[in-house]
Amino acid sequence: MERQEIYPFQRALEHTPPAGRQRKKKYRFKMPEIKLPAVDKTEIRNGLMQLLKIEYLVLAAGAFIMSRAFILGELLPFLYALAAAFAWQDRNRTIVAAVFSVLGLVTVLDGTALWFNILSILVLMAVMTYVKIPAEKSWWGLPFMTTAVIFLSKSIMLLLTHFYFYQEMIIIFEAMLAGILTFIFMIINDVFASRKAVIKFKFEETAAFVILGIGLIMGLNDVQVAGLGVSSIFCRLGILIAAFLWGSSGGTMVGVMAGIIPSISSSIFAQSLGMYAFSGLLAGVFRNFGRLGVIIGFMLGNLAISMFIAEEQVALMGVWETALASLVFFVLPESLKEKVPVESLGTIQQIEANQLRRVDNRIKASVGNRIQNLAEVFDELSSTFTSPSYQTSRPQSVACLNYLYDELSHGFCEGCTRYNSCWDRDYYNTSHYLLDIFTNAEAQGQVSYEDCPSDFKRKCIHGRELISTVNYLFDNLRMNEYWSGKIDESRELVARQLKGVSQVVKNLAEEVEVDTVVDFELRDVLVKASLRQGINLKDITPIRTSGKQLLLEVVAGSCVDGTGCDLSIAPAISSIMGEKMEVCSKTCPRFKGQGACEFTLTRAFAYNVQSAVAQVARENVSGDSYTITTLDEGKELLVLSDGMGVGELASNQSQTAVNLLENLLNSGFNKDVALKTINSVLLLRSTSETFTTLDMVLIDLYTGEVDFVKTASSPSFIKRGKKVAMISSNSLPIGILNEVELVNERRTLLPHDMILMVSDGVMESSRSNSGEEWISQLFSDLNEKDPQVVAETVINKALSLSQGKPNDDMTVICMSLELR
């Protein structure tokens, strides 16, 4: 398939001429054979396609525009800085930057100035191609090299032509500006290389892009389309965006910057400075009305200042430029605020102050949550005094009648000779007579013997004494009713007071001011390490609590499935910290993959608790209540409470004790104070005898230590291998005495140890077999490691011993400690 190269030639015939006719020898010159190389069109096509990539097109456009960006009409520092920062160590970029820089210079310069700048840019490109700068020194080496090349090349050319000190001063100033801008554009080049999202821009990165935008607008200063200035349209669009994002301050600042650009470019004061600044101010004032309000505010400022412009054509063109910029601004995406760092505008001190303010707000939120838990404790206390569970289920009138009949039949009439006749054979008539007497006594306050029915007077031989007894009993009832009402009023008063205390605590939670230790050194280490590892973090705040607990409050970009914090961020932070961290709480946005996710990392527990519960109620509602939860301080809480009796009343009593205990412990109270508080509540909540048992287990998930706290509860069992140990108590239930007696015992658990907690219904399921014996034996014989199977096995055994009819509510809690 190779192409054959065929060249024409002529064969020369040799012959001997006849004698005497010798001719002169002729010299023939033979053309040398030239073989042209084959041209591969595929390589040419690939090369052209390579140059048409988006990065080269953007660089070409930038070089062309920057070659027109003058400062004071004479300096071109943006061109050299752009070429040096973006074309360094890339031959293709160097060629693109050189070619389009020359093309741009041709459009604005001529004569000596044109050749000076063309030769300077070519020398800079050549030096960048052949001079190697180590990567670690490039941050100062490349700006210094740019400054040196511009200074030397232009100075030499100035010496070769006509030397002027003024021109030399301009060259020095231009070279220094080019070096500074090179450093700034290198920051932008790194941002493009890392494809960093706009929302993650730091202050210096935002400032670098602002300077780049100023250079581009200066390069488009004289470009017009249909009589409209392109740079003017971009300036107005930038002011609208700044006013929309940052308000009147941002709009005014960008307006001043945009208005001063023409003065920087041409050294002539521009009247657009005042117009842009005033329009940006009004646009920011109307920001609360949305995009339409920003546009209206900008147009009002534009029209107000346009009245002072003498040229009508200029004012009319300004209106059209504003309309076009407003149209572009109106169609920008809705997510503009989410994708732009709104707080990047301002001084570094302001940004640091904002960061500290966010940290302080997070601390307040953390402490506020704890105080909210305390407020919920007071709410629970208040609800105990307003709950109808302490009230008798029977109507008050029925109770009073029963009391009167009982006092008369078993008190007054029991020694009478006619007792059997009145209260046995003629019970209906007797009760009817007495009911009429009770009605008169209730209506008139007292009843007299003369007002009684005649049949009653004739039948009862002690009628007058009986009437006196009835009056006495009614006086007692009225006295009891009076004091019961007083007690109810006092109870309601206490409930209202507790409710008020709860509201006060909630108000304090909103305005809490506390000194919480924030480890700023650790924060800096984590932020830098996260950036090096490419972890998507928006903010991280290490908080050290009074209990030496380390909490990392993290704000990160939302993932699509809600597991990014557990599967990617937590392991990465653990590798930085040198210890395992895990998510203890998190708040995901409503729409996954959009917005930010907030979660808290804490030291991973050394142990893990697996718990299971089995429960059987004697009636529809079990009087036993329980809770299993992990406290903020790194402890696993297991509570089993048995209320007095069975049914709903017992359930209310035990549930109150369990809820109060959990809220108090979560609020930071120690277990002794929590139990004393619950005891006081049970003493006050009812005039009748009310008590409940509490069986509490607290397991330290870092050390494996366990605390058993018991108040008249059933024994608990600890199993290690085949050995079973029992923890019991002989104290009274809470809610009987003013001082509560606690049985507290501490043990140390090992991995695979199991704990069994049972209620009284399980212990007393058999009258012949001791509950302690059969539970210990069954627990020891079981080879099962699943807590749920163990709990169900124990409760099934208890049901079989009680013939399937439990005498009391039955509850079994089983837990197993495993090493993580």
Side-chain angles (χ1 to χ4, degrees), residues 433-454:
Y433 297 147
L434 290 177
L435 184 61
D436 292 338
I437 293 173
F438 296 157
T439 303
N440 292 333
E442 184 179 12
Q444 301 175 9
Q446 270 192 339
V447 63
S448 62
Y449 182 75
E450 288 74 20
D451 296 334
C452 294
S454 57

Side-chain angles (χ1 to χ4, degrees), residues 375-386 491-507:
E376 291 176 2
V377 170
F378 285 103
D379 279 335
E380 187 70 25
L381 290 173
S382 175
S383 64
T384 60
F385 290 98
T386 57
R491 187 182 290 111
E492 293 175 359
L493 176 62
V494 172
R496 288 196 300 269
Q497 289 175 341
L498 291 173
K499 197 72 175 178
V501 172
S502 172
Q503 188 61 43
V504 169
V505 173
K506 289 180 180 178
N507 294 336

Side-chain angles (χ1 to χ4, degrees), residues 458-477:
R458 186 172 55 253
K459 186 175 181 179
C460 183
I461 59 177
H462 302 287
R464 295 186 180 273
E465 293 80 1
L466 186 143
I467 295 301
S468 299
T469 303
V470 169
N471 289 330
Y472 172 77
L473 292 176
F474 266 88
D475 289 339
N476 286 343
L477 285 176

